[in-house]
Amino acid sequence: MPNEIFTDPESATDKWASIRMTEPTEKEWDVDFVVAGGRVEYVDLRVRPELLTPFVARLLEDVDAETARTILSDIADRNEIDLLEEHGDD
């Protein structure tokens, strides 16, 4: 495994979302993971808040529009966010 090089998945894009760091020296995101028994058991991916929108947008580029809508709706529901709520200037 140490000599393996990551490559793009060979299966259809509807089964995978790509995560790529475009500027590694800018530390766009940080990964922490735990390997136990030769397997990755836990992954924590941290993204700087100012990069969160472009990061999520990049992930959603890999799925069709209906899947993207479902993902965003599920996230909003889990976080009790009403996407249709109007916000006034405070």
Side-chain angles (χ1 to χ4, degrees), residues 5-26:
I5 297 173
F6 175 80
T7 58
D8 287 332
E10 293 178 10
S11 60
T13 58
D14 62 345
K15 295 183 181 181
W16 298 94
S18 295
I19 299 174
R20 291 186 182 84
M21 184 180 296
T22 57
E23 296 292 336
T25 58
E26 295 299 317

Side-chain angles (χ1 to χ4, degrees), residues 22-23 25-30 46-58:
T22 57
E23 296 292 336
T25 58
E26 295 299 317
K27 298 187 185 265
E28 294 170 326
W29 46 269
D30 186 29
R46 294 174 299 271
V47 180
R48 293 193 339 238
E50 64 272 18
L51 298 174
L52 195 53
T53 296
F55 179 79
V56 171
R58 175 67 179 106

Side-chain angles (χ1 to χ4, degrees), residues 31-89:
V31 178
D32 186 20
F33 58 93
V34 174
V35 176
R39 295 182 55 179
V40 174
E41 296 292 334
Y42 171 83
V43 176
D44 180 16
L45 178 63
R46 294 174 299 271
V47 180
R48 293 193 339 238
E50 64 272 18
L51 298 174
L52 195 53
T53 296
F55 179 79
V56 171
R58 175 67 179 106
L59 292 176
L60 294 179
E61 287 175 2
D62 287 354
V63 297
D64 62 47
E66 184 59 33
T67 302
R69 274 191 289 277
T70 299
I71 291 168
L72 293 173
S73 177
D74 288 349
I75 291 169
D77 289 348
R78 288 180 192 172
N79 290 282
E80 299 179 356
I81 297 170
D82 182 356
L83 295 177
L84 301 177
E85 180 181 323
E86 292 188 31
H87 297 280
D89 293 328

